[in-house]
Amino acid sequence: MLLLYIFCIFFQFRISSQQFPRPCATAEVLRTKQCCPVWEGDGSICGARSGRGFCQDVVISDRPNGPQYPHSDIDDRERWPLVFYNRTCQCAGNFMGFSCGECKFGYFGANCAERRESVRRNIFQLSVTERQKFISYLNLAKNTISEDYVIVTGTYEQMNNGTNPMFADINIYDLFVWMHYYVSRDALLGGANNVWTDIDFAHESAAFLPWHRVYLLHWEHEIRKLTGDFNFTIPYWDWRDAQDCQVCTDELMGARSPLNQNLISPASVFSSWKVVCTQPEEYNSRAALCNGTGEGPLLRNPGNHDRNRVNRLPTSANVEFVVSLNEYETEPMDRTANMSFRNALEGFASPETGMAVRGQSTMHNALHVFMNGSMSSVQGSANDPIFLLHHAFIDSIFEQWLRRHQPPRTHYPEENAPIGHNDGYYMVPFIPLYRNGDYFLSTKALGYEYAYLLDPGQRFVQEFLNPYLEQAREIWQWLLGAGILGALVAGIVAAGVALVCRKRRQRKKKRASAYGERQPLLNSSEEEGSSSYQTTL
């Protein structure tokens, strides 16, 4: 643990990125609405001199939204990101990022020309060192302020239409927590508690799976940049048929505190974490946004939840039924949709019949309710690092469905989905921009894979052989030292045995010379053409 602590301190001031680019959080940029930063690699806007990208107008989809949100020009997230910016960097080729200075998912190298497929593995298949490294990365992100990005702490109107910028610094981990809050928060209609609750740009409709796919990819991407470990991947927790929180141990995500069952064990680093964006009622009462300040300890009390909502964790049979559903999305494309793969996987429909249910939480939702703490509230759920393990497995089930049904992009709704969920809608609050429909495709196109979805040969290497090789790499110095020591001991023993044998032979020779040889050791007969060994006492 001392090494992990030193590791975290060493990387404390490394760069991270996401959400509102720091260069675009100024009154001048908000006035011009042009978020096209200079790429430091060649000193040109969007890296244009190197052909990486160009500053262009943002073209948004004009397809109609569903009736769930009847307002217009009220919320900053409508027609994202036009309230804040109408020109951004449009990157070419394999380049990505708010200044086109990074590589698309799955590409690496100085010119983003190296294609590589990463493998996300079961957290229980990781070696001890890999698990410790994952936890240290989480804690490092929690203690490192982003140098590239900031969060917005007020609405565009509260900023006097951009003339008085309201932004704040935030650490890398909480940046992603804030993003999950911001995408799912209520719409502020003006005044205390005057809100519209039936709105969510990342849940309860078609974009649920593509949005969280990009969310995890960016989180993974930022950890790689922060640590310099470009082999890092998010592990997943396969919770099928689990009877309890298997990852709730001090070696992993933190056990239950013996002093307070709602808290994390003091033996876990997560016991010192402070949560953010967990008080939506207070924000609504002040008509304000979460500003990213700490609001208390991380809460978790797995299993002590409302049994009427979740009577057990999802089973293998539940997953198989959900994956067997043919339609990705069905009308009305919200939490009441029947026979919808998305709605069943998200947890608003029965994983046994496919029909929408009320008052119960299944599949994805069941895990959140089961954790009975910070993770059980949508807006603040990403505070608990189990969120990452859980959503990585949800993403893998999405991948199972894509591979089994091979749907064309036309199966993703182009119009009439709730606001934020149509194919051409840009994902809130990502900058750079991503369209929902662009991520309705296999993980292989995005440069990553899941260990348990590999073919048998590759799976054996990833889940069984690699952990042993990793363990061998961890202790190779000890093995080498033990080998050298063993060779020395063996040499000494061999030399001692040889010395003893030599002395015995010398004593025998002395006795033979004193008394004469009475019988030859080898008696040969030329007539018989054979030889026989004879022993003497």
Side-chain angles (χ1 to χ4, degrees), residues 129-142:
T129 297
E130 288 174 323
R131 296 180 191 179
Q132 292 176 340
K133 183 166 61 175
F134 172 57
I135 294 171
S136 73
Y137 286 177
L138 291 170
N139 202 44
L140 174 61
K142 187 75 170 179

Side-chain angles (χ1 to χ4, degrees), residues 20 69 73-84 152 154-159 182 185 188 201 289 425 428:
F20 286 86
Y69 179 73
D73 299 325
I74 294 295
D75 193 284
D76 291 345
R77 298 166 296 178
E78 297 176 33
R79 297 160 59 90
W80 180 263
L82 292 190
V83 168
F84 295 99
V152 64
T155 66
Y156 195 72
E157 182 181 2
Q158 290 169 344
M159 289 190 280
Y182 189 79
R185 67 174 177 82
L188 304 177
F201 292 80
L289 300 182
Y425 208 98
V428 177

Side-chain angles (χ1 to χ4, degrees), residues 252-266:
L252 292 174
M253 314 316 291
R256 181 183 282 112
S257 171
L259 304 177
N260 185 333
Q261 62 179 359
N262 293 309
L263 300 179
I264 308 296
S265 165

Side-chain angles (χ1 to χ4, degrees), residues 396-537:
S396 77
I397 298 174
F398 177 32
E399 183 62 19
Q400 286 189 57
W401 186 86
L402 288 170
R403 295 186 188 184
R404 180 177 301 188
H405 298 277
Q406 299 289 312
R409 181 164 175 170
T410 54
H411 277 215
Y412 190 94
E414 294 183 352
E415 59 185 24
N416 296 323
I419 186 171
H421 292 265
N422 285 342
D423 178 293
Y425 208 98
Y426 286 118
M427 297 179 181
V428 177
F430 289 101
I431 297 175
L433 304 175
Y434 306 97
R435 284 191 174 94
N436 294 321
D438 290 340
Y439 292 87
F440 187 66
L441 78 172
S442 174
T443 61
K444 290 185 175 295
L446 299 171
Y448 72 103
E449 174 64 285
Y450 286 96
Y452 81 102
L453 298 182
L454 293 167
D455 64 56
Q458 292 176 306
R459 183 179 178 186
F460 173 79
V461 172
Q462 286 292 336
E463 291 195 339
F464 300 99
L465 184 58
N466 277 354
Y468 289 108
L469 293 177
E470 179 63 27
Q471 290 178 4
R473 283 194 293 268
E474 294 167 8
I475 62 173
W476 72 269
Q477 300 96 331
W478 301 100
L479 292 175
L480 179 61
I484 294 173
L485 180 60
L488 289 174
V489 172
I492 294 172
V493 171
V497 171
L499 181 62
V500 171
C501 292
R502 181 179 179 183
K503 289 183 177 179
R504 290 183 63 185
R505 286 197 299 271
Q506 289 175 348
R507 286 197 297 269
K508 287 182 180 179
K509 288 182 179 179
K510 288 181 180 180
R511 288 197 297 268
S513 60
Y515 298 103
E517 187 177 47
R518 300 182 176 219
Q519 188 172 350
L521 294 178
L522 180 63
N523 184 27
S524 62
S525 173
E526 294 180 358
E527 296 179 354
E528 296 178 357
S530 64
S531 63
S532 62
Y533 288 94
Q534 301 177 10
T535 59
T536 58
L537 297 178

Side-chain angles (χ1 to χ4, degrees), residues 10-185:
F10 178 76
F11 282 102
Q12 185 172 359
F13 298 104
R14 294 295 297 271
I15 297 174
S16 173
S17 61
Q18 194 47 299
Q19 231 293 293
F20 286 86
R22 191 178 291 274
C24 299
T26 67
E28 175 62 20
V29 172
L30 291 175
R31 183 185 64 81
T32 62
K33 294 195 173 187
Q34 179 171 297
C35 179
C36 294
V38 169
W39 177 51
E40 296 179 356
D42 65 4
S44 67
I45 291 176
C46 305
R49 191 174 296 130
S50 301
R52 285 177 168 256
F54 303 92
C55 187
Q56 296 181 354
D57 292 342
V58 176
V59 179
I60 65 169
S61 171
D62 59 358
R63 296 295 183 93
N65 301 313
Q68 293 84 356
Y69 179 73
H71 304 284
S72 180
D73 299 325
I74 294 295
D75 193 284
D76 291 345
R77 298 166 296 178
E78 297 176 33
R79 297 160 59 90
W80 180 263
L82 292 190
V83 168
F84 295 99
Y85 314 112
N86 57 26
R87 286 175 64 82
T88 64
C89 288
Q90 304 296 310
C91 304
N94 299 329
F95 301 112
M96 186 183 76
F98 63 80
S99 65
C100 300
E102 299 172 359
C103 299
K104 281 185 177 180
F105 304 124
Y107 289 90
F108 299 83
N111 296 314
C112 302
E114 178 187 347
R115 178 70 171 170
R116 190 189 309 170
E117 186 176 271
S118 304
V119 178
R120 292 178 180 172
R121 296 159 56 197
N122 189 320
I123 192 167
F124 293 108
Q125 296 294 336
L126 302 183
S127 67
V128 173
T129 297
E130 288 174 323
R131 296 180 191 179
Q132 292 176 340
K133 183 166 61 175
F134 172 57
I135 294 171
S136 73
Y137 286 177
L138 291 170
N139 202 44
L140 174 61
K142 187 75 170 179
N143 290 280
T144 305
I145 298 299
S146 171
E147 293 187 3
D148 283 355
Y149 283 81
V150 293
I151 62 170
V152 64
T153 59
T155 66
Y156 195 72
E157 182 181 2
Q158 290 169 344
M159 289 190 280
N160 294 323
N161 296 324
T163 60
N164 181 33
M166 298 174 65
F167 295 95
D169 291 335
I170 197 166
N171 68 62
I172 298 162
Y173 188 94
D174 288 349
L175 177 62
F176 284 86
V177 177
W178 184 92
M179 289 175 62
H180 197 264
Y181 147 79
Y182 189 79
V183 76
S184 58
R185 67 174 177 82

